[in-house]
Amino acid sequence: MNILMVSSEMSPFAKTGGLADVVAALPKALVRRGHNVVVVLPMYGDIDAYKYGIGHFHAPMGVWMGDDEQEWCAVRRTVYDDVPVYFIEHDVYFNRHGLYHDKAMRDYADNPRRFAFLCRAALQLCIDKGFRPDVVHAHDWQTALLAPYLRIWNWNGTVLENCPAMLTIHNLAYQGIYSKRNYPYLGFSWEHFTTDRFEYYDAINYLKAGIFYSSMVNTVSPTYADEVRTPEHGNGLDGHLRWKGDRFWGILNGADYDIWSPEHDHRLPAHYTSEHRDGKRICKNVLQDHFGLRHDDNVALFGVVGRFTAQKGYNLLAQVIEPVLNSMHVQFAILGTGETDLEQFFNFMAHKYGDRVGIHVGFSEDLAHLVEAGSDFFLMPSRFEPCGLNQMYSLRYGTLPIVRATGGLNDTVENYNHHNGDGTGFKFYDFTAEALYYTMGWAVSTYYDRRHHIEKMRYNAMQRRFTWDMSAEAYEYAYLRAMGLH
Ligand code: ADP
């Protein structure tokens, strides 16, 4: 198949979260399975063209938007992991700091225009270069408009004629809701501005339109797919998703084990395998050094890596961290960035508890790998979690995840059985500080009193695989259905 993938993120070029890892790994897996995949991204100002060999490819490219003005951009290109990647270079829209917001975390006001332009430019590139996709794959609200462009605009006689769209929802909490003042720029007539398509409480909802016009829609885990069909987790679109019927379902993400494996992770100070885990102790010591924690092989060390947002449940951690420190022999290594309150609170904890709590505020791939490898437990108390990648990485590194049983966390972590030591982590169900506190206590008591169970779980966790090959097969099936071939 010829597959066009358009995204606002892809590792290693531009990343704020799991979307970037998925858009790096899925095309690679599809190429391995014999498909022809092309990825289109924005040429953000922070992307290092020199480092990644991103050269000039096509310019100028004229793109008609709805205001009947042609906008001009250029296209750059590189090949990464056997996948051709094209970059839409439009300095006014993309040559600035970050992806979606400024340094003060304020969303860029022209986001609705920036990402509509990205979608239109990606389609224009197909036309200009004669690339005929069998399916166009969009990711999240940023590229959801690909579907209405393909369905509403007239592409007869072009390479896009009858081309279906598939949409993957990585997080339903972000829908791209903007004032309808932006609607004319998109280039759709007002007859489509209806409550089943674009309109959402008198505003435009990009994701909603994407769901309506896509032939197939998926999200990134089976449990999350069930959850978002309910009013409680549907973020106002549950009815819309239920209406999609069997054209909406969950495909679990995979983990990229080329990058995330303790046997050959070049970012680690030592390597280890499921059978020989001595290297994990060395990683723990180096992690303790990095985070200013006391050297101790026998203390239960909790790792955290993630965005400090309400979704991730770190407010629960903030509530329990002191009681846990006061009642249990533990350490914390926290890597993250996001809400200022949480950053300040964890900084304060690090200050107050000295060599028992370490924090690094910021985004660091190197430290993320070290936290995964050097910790004993990995905390993900998420309020909701579409898939979650970190718990999969943790499993691979023998770092037992402590998770709330929601979304992909529920699908990937098997709860501890204290009778026989089966399981790969610790789960709790209620989104409360008490539930988190007692589950951390359960993990800590297992660590000190039933170490043989911990070792057995580590081994089992490291054996688990969530490969992209499995997921790519499911996406293949979805593409075929989108094309009407299944
Ligand atoms: P989400 O996409 O909701 O942020 P995921 O668990 O799906 O959550 O993916 C998060 C990805 O971002 C992981 O690869 C994780 O290692 C990475 N990540 C998150 N925060 C940081 C950080 N502060 N430094 C380095 N990597 C981070």
Side-chain angles (χ1 to χ4, degrees), residues 271-475:
H271 295 134
Y272 55 96
T273 64
S274 51
E275 271 87 15
H276 303 287
R277 296 196 293 274
D278 279 357
K280 188 165 174 63
R281 196 174 32 80
I282 299 170
C283 294
K284 182 170 180 174
N285 290 157
V286 174
L287 176 64
Q288 286 169 327
D289 282 346
H290 257 284
F291 280 76
L293 304 171
R294 187 165 5 99
H295 255 220
D296 184 348
D297 292 342
N298 287 313
V299 59
L301 203 169
F302 289 95
V304 172
V305 178
R307 295 180 292 117
F308 292 161
T309 64
Q311 173 199 338
K312 298 288 175 184
Y314 296 131
N315 53 325
L316 294 189
L317 178 61
Q319 287 174 58
V320 303
I321 191 167
E322 286 213 88
V324 167
L325 284 161
N326 291 331
S327 59
M328 304 176 205
H329 180 45
V330 295
Q331 293 180 340
F332 288 89
I334 301 173
L335 166 65
T337 170
E339 286 171 14
T340 322
D341 290 0
L342 283 168
E343 288 183 358
Q344 286 175 351
F345 179 78
F346 289 129
N347 260 323
F348 171 61
M349 287 293 107
H351 182 70
K352 182 167 173 187
Y353 289 92
D355 57 6
R356 297 183 65 201
V357 179
I359 177 158
H360 180 96
V361 172
F363 199 95
S364 160
E365 287 282 345
D366 287 346
L367 284 182
H369 285 246
L370 187 60
V371 173
E372 289 287 6
S375 304
D376 296 298
F377 299 105
F378 194 88
L379 283 169
M380 291 183 80
S382 303
R383 200 163 66 78
F384 66 94
E385 193 62 74
C387 179
L389 294 171
N390 278 313
Q391 83 283 8
M392 295 194 208
Y393 304 152
S394 305
L395 293 168
R396 191 69 195 85
Y397 285 76
T399 299
L400 304 178
I402 296 179
V403 302
R404 178 153 176 271
T406 181
L409 299 176
N410 192 43
D411 293 332
T412 51
V413 177
E414 223 177 284
N415 209 3
Y416 169 53
N417 177 337
H418 64 269
H419 296 298
N420 56 16
D422 280 354
T424 57
F426 297 81
K427 284 188 189 180
F428 64 100
Y429 293 82
D430 292 342
F431 186 70
T432 59
E434 288 76 27
L436 174 60
Y437 176 84
Y438 287 115
T439 308
M440 290 172 76
W442 189 28
V444 170
S445 63
T446 308
Y447 183 86
Y448 291 115
D449 301 338
R450 292 179 298 282
R451 186 61 74 92
H452 57 293
H453 280 180
I454 293 285
E455 298 306 332
K456 181 177 171 187
M457 289 170 82
R458 279 202 215 288
Y459 179 82
N460 286 340
M462 292 185 72
Q463 300 294 318
R464 288 280 182 282
R465 289 293 183 282
F466 301 94
T467 67
W468 269 109
D469 259 350
M470 268 157 34
S471 314
E473 204 178 321
Y475 277 101

